Amino acid sequence: MNDQINPHIAPNMVFKNLIGGKEVPASDGMLLDVVSPVDGTLFAKIAAGTAQDVDAAVKAARSAFEGPWGKLTATERGRLLMKLATIVEAHADELATLESRDNGKPLRQSRADAVALARYFEFYGSAADKLHGDVIPYLNTHFIGVERVPHGVTGHIVPWNYPMQIFGRSVGAALAAGNATVVKPAEDASLTILRVSQLASEAGFPDGALNIVTGLGRTAGAALAAHPGIDFLSFTGSPETGTAVQIAAAKNHVGVTLELGGKSAQVVFDDADLERALPTLVNAIIQNGGQTCSAGSRLLIQRGIFDDVVSAIAERFRALRAGHPEREPDLGPMINQAQQRRVLGYLERARNEGLRIVGEGVVAIDAPAEGFYVPPAFLAPVPHESILSQEEVFGPVLVATPFEDEADAIRLANGTPYGLAAGVWTRDAMRSTRVGRAMRVGQVFVNCYGAGGGIELPFGGFGRSGHGREKGFEGLVEFTTTKTLVIAHG
Ligand code: NAD
């Protein structure tokens, strides 16, 4: 991508942290390089936030919570979020260009993320003053009111794959509920979050309601997770880091939402409407280059139609093209070189184990040679016990496994440590309901599949996919707790 296309990023532009309404460098002045996965160029720098920066951000958030931000009514908070939604929508093209450069997503996906971010702010903004507590019947001499209150200062650790959407669902809900927030974006994709935080200041959010500290996970992220001034944590990322974050939270006795990885199955029965299913089955793994927690990365196909479905999917894979985000490819590059090597390493291992790639896409000939591209790969048949069927690759790699009957399909679909999402493809309504209800996952899609599916729908996992729910109204409740008032009046 050449530098002229985005007037908002001058070459080697330096992005600062946002703490207490001010843009500030890291306490020790250190910076991290921002490398574009599109062409491997270093095009900007971000602050390498320190524990001291995190501490300053938490203090700024506390002052806001106990001061101007905490004094706003729910309606006023909601209006600010709705205003921010409008501003974000108006900046959707700018944000999309910035995201595609920083993260490598095809422009249409980056734009969809920006629009979704605006919708999160709209959804949670309009819900802010609809969240209320309860009155509990008790003794006739007492009145019991249960109030829904914010946790206080919330910490948000965000991954690189959908920075805007994950910021929207987590920080949008936390702000709507009245928390003051400190956010640690991923070091590989911080820029849109920083830009949105500038837009939030323009919208009129009081200083300190939203603070951003960029930097490495092991320094800034770990400092945020362990900070005693944090009242609740929202973490989205890998299961390994999620464990570290939960341990840190436990030491401070605070709650944590963990939105982790997945190995989601798409179950295709022999009566499925294949014309409808095929494009969705492919898109579910190709979207965002497979770097989606809820990617449909395992295809379970009923034995009788296995060969036919495999050859139809393989044909579609052969037509896929990884390329420059501006040329509307099917997928862009992987986020960084380590991720590119990781995906290629999985494929190498699969070949060594004798697994067969039956359909492989291409890297476009005009894709920049220094970018981190990988061709999408479809492997079949792949045994359920193999590493490729069990581990999250987080790349454009799809595996297919045959199953015999309904019970076998459920056993295989539930047969990994993860439990994030699943797809069921059948024309039999009773079967889809039975199978859907038997899945140990947070979301089941029947005759459709939406990675993460919808701002309005609760999302989260079982097992190694994490716990707690974000998105939807449930996500708003997650950022509150209750306080019970017991009033004796007689
Ligand atoms: P990651 O765990 O490496 O990083 C996520 C965030 O945690 C980053 O901001 C990182 O800087 C920070 N971090 C790293 N080490 C830390 C530490 N010791 N303490 C505190 N913070 C630390 O994950 P990733 O590679 O950025 O993202 C990929 C993973 O995220 C995949 O497993 C994917 O499935 C998962 N993911 C899940 C969801 C979901 O909603 N369930 C969404 C997106 C991604």
Side-chain angles (χ1 to χ4, degrees), residues 157-161 166 169 184-187 217-218 221-222 235-239 241 245 259-262 293 392 394 420 459:
I157 301 176
V158 179
W160 44 259
N161 60 343
I166 293 167
R169 76 186 190 199
K184 211 301 278 173
E187 46 273 51
R218 62 175 179 272
F235 172 81
T236 305
S238 61
T241 312
V245 168
E259 297 280 1
L260 310 177
C293 50
E392 184 182 44
F394 224 50
L420 197 53
F459 180 72

Side-chain angles (χ1 to χ4, degrees), residues 334-474:
M334 298 293 95
I335 186 72
N336 55 33
Q337 195 167 47
Q339 188 68 14
Q340 179 193 37
R341 288 188 178 147
R342 183 179 136 95
V343 174
L344 295 175
Y346 268 110
L347 291 174
E348 180 67 28
R349 200 152 151 191
R351 280 194 200 93
N352 293 340
E353 284 173 15
L355 298 177
R356 222 160 54 83
I357 296 181
V358 292
E360 190 170 28
V362 294
V363 173
I365 39 172
D366 58 357
E370 303 304 317
F372 309 129
Y373 301 89
V374 297
F378 174 45
L379 295 94
V382 173
H384 172 66
E385 298 71 26
S386 82
I387 281 170
L388 268 195
S389 288
Q390 292 292 319
E391 291 187 10
E392 184 182 44
V393 175
F394 224 50
V397 178
L398 179 64
V399 299
T401 306
F403 70 85
E404 307 303 334
D405 55 21
E406 205 177 296
D408 198 27
I410 293 166
R411 179 184 66 82
L412 294 177
N414 286 340
T416 77
Y418 294 100
L420 197 53
V424 183
W425 296 86
T426 175
R427 287 187 167 95
D428 181 336
M430 287 174 73
R431 173 155 71 187
S432 67
T433 310
R434 272 193 312 270
V435 175
R437 295 195 71 197
M439 298 283 185
R440 193 169 172 270
V441 296
Q443 287 188 335
V444 183
F445 296 88
V446 175
N447 297 326
C448 60
Y449 196 80
I455 281 119
E456 304 81 358
L457 316 181
F459 180 72
F462 287 77
R464 194 172 158 79
S465 292
H467 54 76
R469 295 290 178 266
E470 292 194 341
K471 308 173 87 158
F473 201 75
E474 207 173 330

Side-chain angles (χ1 to χ4, degrees), residues 47-122:
T50 61
Q52 207 176 319
D53 297 320
V54 168
D55 186 53
V58 173
K59 286 184 175 134
R62 180 66 58 191
S63 303
F65 182 70
E66 289 171 359
W69 175 243
K71 292 194 170 53
L72 295 186
T73 63
T75 307
E76 287 166 335
R77 291 196 305 269
R79 282 191 188 133
L80 277 173
L81 279 161
M82 305 268 270
K83 187 168 172 197
L84 180 56
T86 309
I87 297 175
V88 166
E89 184 110 41
H91 286 77
D93 288 333
E94 176 204 331
L95 288 165
T97 310
L98 187 58
E99 191 73 284
S100 286
R101 176 132 208 215
D102 196 15
N103 168 298
K105 288 168 192 261
L107 262 178
R108 64 174 186 285
Q109 174 72 60
S110 295
R111 200 170 193 293
D113 286 2
V115 171
L117 171 65
R119 172 70 185 131
Y120 275 114
F121 291 148
E122 179 187 58

